[in-house]
Amino acid sequence: MKVVLFLFLGGLVVVGVFGIMYTLLFSPFTQIQEIRVKRTDPRIDIEVVQVALAPLFGTHITLLQEQDVFDLLQSAVPDLSSVHISKHYPSYVSVQLELEPLVAQIHTLEEDGKESTPAEGTGAVLRGYITEKGTYAEYVTLQVKDHAALPYIAVTDWGVRPQPGTQLVRPAFLERLWKAEELLEEQFGQKTEQRILFLRAREFHLDVGPMVWFDDRGALEEQLKRYQVFLQSVSLEQVQEYIDLRLSDRVVYK
């Protein structure tokens, strides 16, 4: 009798386990019926995100992975950094997005030096920005937290006008610019007032009184060493326009 009871209870457990697995994996009861998006940044357009996530409706909540959500959102949210999901059984999912932080305002310049502004949005002017990974983005000013605190970078020599979601600057090149700016202030007490990036030429100019020209072909430390030697023999008062540190064997100035 005990053996029969044991087998009976074991059978119930097995049936119960399979029943739960079936409910979680195959039952219409656990298909996603609601998706809520948590706004963590004013740049996030909830409507755009919800439209991008529409293919998830009807899929089973148990099988949903964060990578699935990330893949759906990449094209709709180009500066997406990461995605976090919370499953609320039986059929509701909450989604939280993290964006790449913006590090600068971007002013694109035409060949004649005039600024090329993004197209206007509905009732507001779009402005260009760049993320820490070099992704170009366009937002209405009110969507960007601490807009006024972001430094300006003028970008020229870009060939094709940058489009939102594309990589405007390689992360290593952007990091080189910030490092040069930091070292100019630390080693020479010179604060950068203006930055100009030349994309195809792979160089940048920092305005510290005169313009100081750098590129990404030689070591930054070597370029700054040439600058130090130059300042030992030439006063900045003698420089009217620029100091070119790009050549490995000499410094050119005007």
Side-chain angles (χ1 to χ4, degrees):
M1 179 66 71
K2 291 182 178 180
V3 173
V4 173
L5 180 61
F6 178 78
L7 292 175
F8 176 73
L9 292 176
L12 287 179
V13 171
V14 171
V15 170
V17 170
F18 275 101
I20 293 173
M21 291 179 61
Y22 174 83
T23 301
L24 292 177
L25 298 177
F26 303 107
S27 172
F29 188 59
T30 57
Q31 290 178 345
I32 296 174
Q33 299 177 18
E34 182 180 3
I35 299 174
R36 298 180 186 177
V37 180
K38 295 182 179 180
R39 185 190 293 274
T40 58
D41 192 295
R43 292 185 280 146
I44 297 174
D45 189 323
I46 300 295
E47 183 177 350
V48 168
V49 173
Q50 289 176 332
V51 170
L53 295 179
L56 295 179
F57 288 108
T59 61
H60 287 277
I61 189 172
T62 306
L63 302 177
L64 182 65
Q65 302 295 321
E66 289 184 345
Q67 188 61 46
D68 301 328
V69 178
F70 189 89
D71 292 343
L72 285 174
L73 290 177
Q74 263 192 310
S75 59
V77 188
D79 47 348
L80 182 65
S81 176
S82 62
V83 168
H84 306 282
I85 64 172
S86 298
K87 299 178 182 180
H88 305 269
Y89 288 90
S91 58
Y92 147 50
V93 175
S94 62
V95 178
Q96 180 175 313
L97 285 63
E98 299 293 337
L99 303 183
E100 296 176 16
L102 300 177
V103 296
Q105 302 178 50
I106 291 295
H107 291 211
T108 52
L109 305 178
E110 302 286 359
E111 291 185 2
D112 58 6
K114 293 182 179 179
E115 183 174 354
S116 173
T117 58
E120 291 191 359
T122 305
V125 177
L126 294 172
R127 298 190 181 278
Y129 298 88
I130 195 171
T131 72
E132 65 176 3
K133 294 183 180 179
T135 304
Y136 179 72
E138 291 179 356
Y139 293 102
V140 174
T141 302
L142 294 178
Q143 292 179 298
V144 179
K145 185 179 180 181
D146 299 328
H147 161 84
L150 292 174
Y152 290 86
I153 299 178
V155 176
T156 188
D157 189 34
W158 33 268
V160 179
R161 186 176 182 11
Q163 296 299 313
T166 59
Q167 188 175 71
L168 181 64
V169 185
R170 291 180 296 104
F173 190 35
L174 188 61
E175 178 62 30
R176 186 182 180 95
L177 181 150
W178 299 132
K179 188 63 177 179
E181 184 173 329
E182 176 187 335
L183 292 175
L184 282 172
E185 186 165 8
E186 286 183 359
Q187 297 181 11
F188 306 98
Q190 298 174 345
K191 186 173 179 60
T192 299
E193 301 297 335
Q194 183 182 5
R195 308 156 191 87
I196 304 178
L197 273 178
F198 296 79
L199 294 181
R200 289 181 296 184
R202 296 163 50 195
E203 65 183 68
F204 57 90
H205 300 176
L206 301 181
D207 183 359
V208 295
M211 281 284 188
V212 183
W213 295 4
F214 298 87
D215 62 21
D216 71 345
R217 293 175 177 82
L220 179 60
E221 293 75 12
E222 291 299 321
Q223 292 178 345
L224 287 169
K225 187 178 298 184
R226 289 196 291 273
Y227 187 51
Q228 183 178 32
V229 172
F230 171 82
L231 292 179
Q232 292 172 355
S233 56
V234 179
S235 169
L236 283 182
E237 284 73 20
Q238 298 176 250
V239 181
Q240 297 180 350
E241 295 184 22
Y242 65 83
I243 302 170
D244 186 352
L245 305 178
R246 298 172 303 165
L247 301 175
S248 61
D249 59 345
R250 62 187 183 277
V251 174
V252 177
Y253 74 97
K254 181 178 179 181

